[in-house]
């Protein structure tokens, strides 16, 4: 207000009646790091950039080809290649089938396996919304040979640690993502995967804005007995920093993402139809109809049929071919669960709040698991006395289907940060309040500012308490906000420009172990 007026008249002075408010930050915004067939739009490249998207259609427009070539070109679009490799004896591996009395293992060309595209599909299929895509490169060339053995580790040499680390570093300038997801990290070697996980945890801890969702190497085809070695290897390679910012899920999940239209004869034997002909039209069981179709593929007529037409005709003409495609689809649809979990987090946060544990819920599109864990087996995943690194199980229950059956961070022995919902709730509160109090930077460090800051934070936390995010019979039991000279600041703090605020919250913890005690008693007469 002016100290004096020179001209007679009426003057208006507006006074703020309400303090600033805290705007809640988004809690489920994943950042996917990995490889895509392309990353450009209208001449602008999106490689090595953190690009925000809001739908799967937008992802396709920026990172997938408008008019993809035939699937035989794996360097241009996602087209995994599989080989049927004869096995000397039974028992066959899980991803195998018997044709004409011979057992075959269905083995991929590791150089053609990528997970980002299907993981983003899983994210949106499970209710995902806004997300960031960090495309670090395009697909590399195929090796034109299958995996060395059914039990061999799947390592794609086209997936490079340096590429993924570069993509991770780009997120240092992006405070909005709340989940770091790198599904193709499981295609690295064990050592490189460990280096990447440790880097992700360290960055998440330093920024304090996100948690890392990890997949476990070996979760795609676990040995029924020796799977515990994969679990121990994972724990040995996560390091000891930032464990409360990490979450792991096991095993992989069998999905319905890829359909029969996504797999055809060009995905088998690197497109070598002659090797397929030996299976569909063997001398011991000739199939003239299949032989004619295969001849049309190898030597197209003047008016050739399209690949989709040939595919449909082959499926109808040969039961063996149908069996092969079914098995290959099952292998191609076995995906790391991190992308699906990002969608589960989004729906959970929107419907229940970030303080609700994202567990005891189903995964849309999950139809099978490579291993069905029991209670005793999960006990070793959920609680580890040595490292304390908890791994959340995805399990099958009769009558209920496939459920997420775990709610712990990697810091499983910590009373403060044991649960995912606690860590994510505190991140939500910290970042929301941090953004709100920025408006008070350079304001007078006096009682008026202290009262305004305290009122603003108190109002926000009261709202969170009313929604069920904090525990306590009253707001006074749920949180405490202190600010001011003599309580959170000294005279030296004022001289140095510090405004210290102390916030204590009672975060809701999930009910993990529900114990019911039963005791017999005698019947009472009367």
């Amino acid at each position: 207000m002016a100290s004096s007026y020179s001209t007679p008249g009426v003057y208006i002075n507006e006074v703020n009646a309400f303090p600033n408010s805290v705007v809640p930050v988004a809690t489920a915004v994943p950042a996917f790091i990995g490889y895509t067939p392309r990353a450009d739009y209208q001449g602008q490249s999106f490689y090595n950039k953190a690009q925000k998207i809001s739908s799967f259609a937008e992802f396709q427009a920026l990172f997938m080809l408008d008019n993809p070539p035939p699937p035989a070109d794996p360097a241009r679009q996602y087209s995994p290649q599989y080989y049927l490799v004869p096995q000397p004896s039974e028992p066959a591996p899980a991803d195998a089938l018997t044709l004409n009395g011979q057992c075959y293992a269905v083995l991929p060309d590791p150089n053609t396996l990528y997970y980002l595209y299907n993981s983003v599909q899983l994210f949106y299929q499970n209710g995902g919304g806004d997300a960031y895509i960090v495309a670090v490169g395009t697909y590399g060339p195929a090796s034109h040979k299958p995996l060395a053995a059914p039990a061999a580790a799947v390592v794609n040499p086209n997936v490079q640690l340096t590429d993924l680390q570069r993509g991770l570093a780009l997120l240092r300038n992006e405070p909005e993502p709340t989940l770091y997801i790198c599904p193709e990290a499981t295609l690295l070697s064990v050592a490189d995967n460990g280096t990447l996980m440790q880097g992700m945890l360290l960055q998440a801890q330093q920024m304090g804005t996100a948690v890392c969702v990890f997949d476990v190497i070996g979760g795609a085809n676990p040995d029924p007995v020796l799977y515990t070695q994969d679990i121990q290897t994972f724990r040995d390679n996560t390091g000891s920093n930032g464990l409360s910012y990490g979450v792991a899920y096991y095993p992989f999940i069998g999905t319905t993402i890829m359909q029969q239209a996504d797999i055809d004869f060009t995905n088998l034997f690197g497109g070598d139809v002659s090797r397929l002909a030996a299976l569909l039209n063997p001398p011991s069981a000739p199939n003239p109809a299949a032989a004619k179709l295969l001849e049309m593929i190898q030597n197209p007529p003047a008016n050739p049929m399209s690949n989709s037409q040939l595919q449909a005709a082959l499926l109808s003409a040969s039961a063996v071919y149908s069996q092969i495609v079914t098995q290959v689809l099952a292998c191609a649809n076995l995906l790391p669960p991190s992308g699906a979990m990002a969608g589960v987090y989004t729906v959970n946060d929107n419907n229940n709040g970030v303080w609700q544990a994202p567990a005891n819920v189903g995964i849309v599109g999950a139809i099978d698991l490579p291993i069905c864990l029991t209670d005793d087996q999960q006990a070793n995943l959920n609680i580890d006395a040595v490292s304390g690194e908890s791994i959340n199980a995805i399990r099958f229950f009769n009558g209920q289907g496939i459920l997420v059956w775990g709610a712990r961070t990697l810091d499983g022995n910590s009373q403060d940060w044991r649960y995912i919902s606690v860590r994510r709730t505190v991140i939500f509160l910290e970042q929301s309040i941090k953004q709100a109090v920025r408006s008070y930077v350079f304001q007078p460090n006096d009682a008026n500012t202290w009262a305004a800051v305290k009122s603003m934070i108190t109002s926000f936390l009261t709202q969170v308490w009313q929604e069920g995010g904090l525990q306590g019979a009253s707001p006074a039991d749920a949180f405490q906000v202190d600010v001011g000279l003599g309580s959170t600041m000294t005279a030296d703090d004022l001289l140095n420009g510090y405004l210290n605020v102390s916030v204590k919250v009672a975060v809701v913890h999930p009910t993990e172990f529900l114990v019911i005690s039963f005791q017999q008693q005698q019947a009472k007469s009367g």
Side-chain angles (χ1 to χ4, degrees):
M1 181 182 295
S3 58
S4 61
Y5 300 97
S6 302
T7 304
V10 178
Y11 297 87
I12 296 175
N13 179 44
E14 293 183 348
V15 179
N16 291 335
F18 307 102
N20 291 344
S21 60
V22 177
V23 178
V25 299
T27 58
V29 182
F32 290 90
I33 308 170
Y35 295 81
T36 58
R38 85 167 217 232
D40 63 88
Y41 187 72
Q42 295 183 344
Q44 180 182 359
S45 173
F46 290 102
Y47 277 120
N48 297 312
K49 293 181 180 179
Q51 178 61 34
K52 187 176 182 179
I53 62 172
S54 300
S55 66
F56 185 65
E58 191 173 354
F59 173 80
Q60 288 179 307
L62 297 178
F63 300 100
M64 302 304 293
L65 298 175
D66 294 329
N67 297 301
D73 185 3
R76 295 285 289 162
Q77 72 169 15
Y78 182 57
S79 180
Q81 296 292 309
Y82 290 88
Y83 293 78
L84 274 67
V85 181
Q87 298 299 297
S89 62
E90 299 283 354
D95 50 352
L97 67 165
T98 300
L99 304 174
N100 304 316
Q102 172 66 55
C103 177
Y104 294 89
V106 179
L107 302 180
D109 177 348
N111 293 39
T112 65
L113 292 187
Y114 297 90
Y115 292 138
L116 181 67
Y117 174 57
N118 285 335
S119 292
V120 173
Q121 286 196 77
L122 267 179
F123 168 65
Y124 282 108
Q125 194 176 65
N126 279 273
D130 289 344
Y132 282 78
I133 305 296
V134 184
V136 299
T138 188
Y139 297 163
S143 68
H144 302 291
K145 57 184 180 181
L147 191 67
V154 178
V155 177
N156 184 346
N158 296 321
V159 176
Q160 294 290 311
L161 172 63
T162 52
D163 291 343
L164 300 178
Q165 287 177 320
R166 183 176 64 252
L168 174 65
L170 292 172
L171 295 174
R172 289 187 177 275
N173 300 320
E174 300 291 344
E176 186 178 14
T178 59
L179 302 169
Y180 290 167
I181 297 176
C182 189
E184 287 155 356
T186 55
L187 298 173
L188 295 168
S189 67
V190 168
D192 285 350
N193 177 259
T195 300
L196 180 64
M197 289 193 298
Q198 292 177 34
M200 292 173 68
L201 290 171
L202 181 60
Q203 180 167 314
Q205 183 182 44
Q206 291 172 343
M207 293 188 64
T209 58
V211 297
C212 309
V213 183
F214 295 130
D215 307 296
V216 180
I217 289 180
N221 191 18
D223 185 280
V225 177
L226 302 179
Y227 75 94
T228 54
Q229 296 178 2
D230 297 329
I231 301 300
Q232 189 58 49
T233 300
F234 173 85
R235 285 171 168 155
D236 291 342
N237 283 275
T238 53
S240 58
N241 295 319
L243 293 180
S244 69
Y245 291 88
V247 185
Y249 291 93
Y250 181 88
F252 280 31
I253 53 176
T255 70
T256 57
I257 286 294
M258 297 186 73
Q259 299 293 314
Q260 279 194 345
D262 300 314
I263 294 289
D264 63 19
F265 48 86
T266 61
N267 295 93
L268 301 171
F269 301 108
D272 186 353
V273 179
S274 62
R275 299 178 65 179
L276 182 61
L279 297 175
L280 304 190
N281 187 38
S284 59
N287 187 330
K292 182 178 179 180
L293 290 168
L294 294 173
E295 175 63 22
M296 293 174 62
I297 295 172
Q298 291 178 296
N299 300 294
N303 294 313
M305 298 169 64
S306 66
N307 276 13
S308 59
Q309 290 173 324
L310 289 167
Q311 172 75 354
L314 272 175
L315 288 171
S316 176
S318 173
V320 172
Y321 182 69
S322 179
Q323 188 179 357
I324 292 173
V325 170
T326 299
Q327 187 61 51
V328 169
L329 267 176
C331 296
N333 274 321
L334 197 58
L335 301 174
S338 55
M341 289 309 305
V344 170
Y345 282 25
T346 302
V347 172
N348 175 77
D349 294 359
N350 292 339
N351 293 342
N352 306 308
V354 67
W355 42 83
Q356 173 76 33
N360 197 8
V361 294
I363 299 176
V364 177
I367 60 170
D368 194 15
L369 295 173
I371 183 172
C372 292
L373 298 170
T374 65
D375 288 346
D376 290 339
Q377 289 173 320
Q378 186 184 357
N380 295 324
L381 271 68
N382 199 48
I383 300 175
D384 181 65
V386 178
S387 68
E389 296 178 7
S390 299
I391 298 174
N392 299 304
I394 299 175
R395 295 181 56 185
F396 173 80
F397 294 92
N398 288 325
Q400 294 178 287
I402 295 173
L403 299 177
V404 180
W405 206 246
R408 292 193 171 205
T409 69
L410 290 177
D411 201 3
N413 284 348
S414 169
Q415 293 287 4
D416 287 321
W417 308 115
R418 174 179 298 171
Y419 296 111
I420 302 168
S421 55
V422 173
R423 166 46 75 195
R424 297 184 67 233
T425 298
V426 172
I427 290 177
F428 162 69
L429 297 177
E430 290 174 347
Q431 296 306 311
S432 298
I433 293 172
K434 176 183 176 180
Q435 295 298 324
V437 299
R438 288 176 65 89
S439 60
Y440 291 95
V441 174
F442 302 119
Q443 292 293 313
N445 200 354
D446 58 16
N448 291 333
T449 300
W450 305 337
V453 170
K454 182 174 182 177
S455 175
M456 178 180 67
I457 297 175
T458 299
S459 177
F460 170 63
L461 294 178
T462 300
Q463 180 66 31
V464 174
W465 170 75
Q466 290 174 339
E467 294 177 0
L470 300 175
Q471 57 182 331
S474 67
D477 298 326
F479 63 86
Q480 179 180 332
V481 181
D482 295 314
V483 57
L485 184 63
S487 60
T488 63
M489 293 179 286
T490 65
D492 285 341
D493 290 329
L494 296 181
L495 293 175
N496 291 321
Y498 291 106
L499 194 160
N500 298 329
V501 183
S502 173
V503 180
K504 300 176 182 178
V505 292
V507 181
V508 174
H509 285 224
T511 302
E512 188 178 21
F513 308 107
L514 202 160
V515 180
I516 303 176
S517 299
F518 286 90
Q519 182 178 357
Q520 295 188 61
Q521 67 176 21
Q522 287 185 326
K524 297 179 180 178
S525 60

